[in-house]
Amino acid sequence: MLLPYSGGVDALLLLIIALVVDACVGDSAWLRRFLPGPADLAARAVALYDRRLNRIDRTDKVRRARGSLVTLLLLVLGALLGFCLSVAVRHIPAGGFVELLVLVRCLTLRLPWGTMGRTVAALEGNDIEAARTAVGPLTDRQLWSLDEHGTVRAGVEGAARALTHGVVAPALFYTLFGLAGLLAWAALDGTARIIGHDTPRHAHFGALARRLTSILGFPAALIASLVVLLAASFVPKANALRGLRDAKGAMGHPMGADALPVAAFAGVLDLSVAGPRREGERVVKEPWLGNGRARAVPRDLRAAMALYAISALIAAGLVVGAGLLAA
C-alpha cells in the first residue's frame, strides 16, 4: 500500500484505546473547550462561510455552487490534513499519542449518553426548560418548541444519529483509510451539521453536503442499524423484529441514510419519531419513522440510554474482533 497508513493491528489497537478513553472522559467540558474536535472546527468554518456566501439576494444556482465549493473544499482539506498528519506521526517520537488524541476527538461515544442522562433527569424533575437545554447537543430542532414528548423523541433520534456519526462512521473510515479518511469524514460531518438541513436557507447551499453525507454515511448507517438490532436482545421489552421492520420501511425517507438507524432505534423501543412538526413559522411535513407511540415519556429515554450503551459496546466488540482477525 502506497499510503503512509499501515492499518492492521496497530491501528485497531489505537482505535480500541481511543474508544475506551472517550467512554471515560469524552463529555468533559474542559476537553471540548481546550481541544475541540475536528468536526466542531469544520462546523465553525462552515458557519462563517454560510454567513458570508449564502446570501438570500443570490440565485438558487449561485447558492448551490457556492455551497458545493465550500463542502468540497473542507472535505479535501480534511483528507489532506489527515494524510500529512499520518506521515508526520510516523516520524516523531510521540506520534502514536498524537494519533490517539486525534482519534479521541473524532469519536463521540460518551457525549450522547451523558446528554440523555441529563435530559431524563430534568424531565423526571418536571423541569422542561432544563430538559430542552440538556437535549440540545443531540438535536438541531428549535428547542423552545419541544414539549415533554418532543424532547424525548429528539433525544432518541439524536442517540441513533450519534451512534452512526460519532462511533461507527469514524471507526469505519479510520479502519479503512487511516487519518485521511477519519478527518475527511469529520470535515463532512461538521459541514452537514451546519448546512445539511433541508430548510429554505440551506436547501441549495447545503445540497451537496446532504448528498455526500447520505452516500458516504450509508455503510456506517447500515452497520449501526444492525448493531442496534443485535443490542435489542439485551434491553427489556425491546423488540429486534419490530426494529427490522421499521428500518426496512425507512428507505427513501428525507432523512437519508440516517433514517435507517433512527427507524431501527424507534422500532426496537416501540416509538414513532421524526414526523410532521412546526419549526418557527414553517411546518415540516416529514414522514414518521417507526410505527409505535409518538407520545414518548422519560422511561423511553432511559430505555434508549440502555440501547445506545449496549449498541456502542457491540460496535467496540466488532473492532476488537477485527483486530483479532488481523493479528
Side-chain angles (χ1 to χ4, degrees):
M1 198 170 183
L2 297 179
L3 293 176
Y5 170 60
S6 59
V9 178
D10 290 343
L12 289 170
L13 179 59
L14 272 179
L15 180 55
I16 293 168
I17 296 172
L19 287 167
V20 172
V21 172
D22 185 73
C24 295
V25 299
D27 64 343
S28 300
W30 63 267
L31 186 62
R32 298 197 304 273
R33 184 181 303 112
F34 295 108
L35 192 64
D40 295 328
L41 294 175
R44 293 178 190 176
V46 172
L48 178 62
Y49 282 123
D50 183 37
R51 290 193 298 270
R52 294 189 175 182
L53 300 179
N54 189 19
R55 299 176 182 173
I56 59 175
D57 59 338
R58 303 295 183 182
T59 65
D60 293 344
K61 185 176 180 180
V62 169
R63 295 169 76 182
R64 182 181 293 267
R66 288 182 171 185
S68 298
L69 285 174
V70 169
T71 300
L72 291 175
L73 173 65
L74 289 173
L75 180 63
V76 171
L77 284 177
L80 285 175
L81 178 60
F83 181 87
C84 294
L85 194 58
S86 64
V87 174
V89 297
R90 281 154 181 78
H91 294 87
I92 59 177
F97 177 76
V98 172
E99 188 164 350
L100 176 63
L101 206 57
V102 173
L103 259 173
V104 169
R105 297 309 296 131
C106 286
L107 294 166
T108 53
L109 178 62
R110 184 180 175 89
L111 181 62
W113 167 269
T115 298
M116 285 188 286
R118 289 185 287 273
T119 302
V120 75
L123 288 171
E124 290 174 346
N126 296 316
D127 191 344
I128 187 62
E129 290 298 331
R132 289 169 177 165
T133 302
V135 83
L138 287 181
T139 183
D140 56 9
R141 302 286 175 82
Q142 294 187 352
L143 299 179
W144 61 267
S145 67
L146 298 176
D147 59 7
E148 177 184 279
H149 309 303
T151 301
V152 174
R153 290 197 304 271
V156 171
E157 290 176 38
R161 298 176 76 165
L163 180 66
T164 304
H165 288 249
V167 181
V168 177
L172 181 62
F173 277 94
Y174 176 72
T175 301
L176 294 177
F177 307 111
L179 289 175
L182 178 69
L183 292 185
W185 169 257
L188 180 60
D189 189 38
T191 300
R193 188 186 304 172
I194 302 299
I195 64 173
H197 315 295
D198 191 15
T199 59
R201 177 172 178 81
H202 295 124
H204 298 282
F205 194 76
L208 184 62
R210 284 194 305 276
R211 183 67 174 166
L212 287 178
T213 303
S214 187
I215 293 173
L216 297 179
F218 181 79
L222 183 59
I223 294 172
S225 302
L226 296 175
V227 164
V228 169
L229 297 179
L230 289 173
S233 302
F234 303 95
V235 178
K237 299 183 181 180
N239 190 309
L241 291 179
R242 194 168 54 215
L244 177 61
R245 177 201 64 198
D246 290 348
K248 288 171 61 178
M251 300 298 293
H253 192 274
M255 196 178 287
D258 284 342
L260 293 177
V262 171
F265 233 88
V268 163
L269 299 176
D270 194 25
L271 295 174
S272 289
V273 298
R277 59 190 180 275
R278 179 177 293 277
E279 294 183 353
E281 299 298 322
R282 176 173 176 258
V283 176
V284 179
K285 297 180 179 180
E286 187 174 84
W288 290 97
L289 287 171
N291 293 284
R293 296 171 288 108
R295 296 178 68 83
V297 294
R299 67 172 178 271
D300 293 315
L301 195 54
R302 287 209 175 274
M305 290 177 67
L307 183 60
Y308 174 83
I310 296 170
S311 299
L313 284 174
I314 292 175
L318 292 176
V319 173
V320 173
L324 292 175
L325 288 176

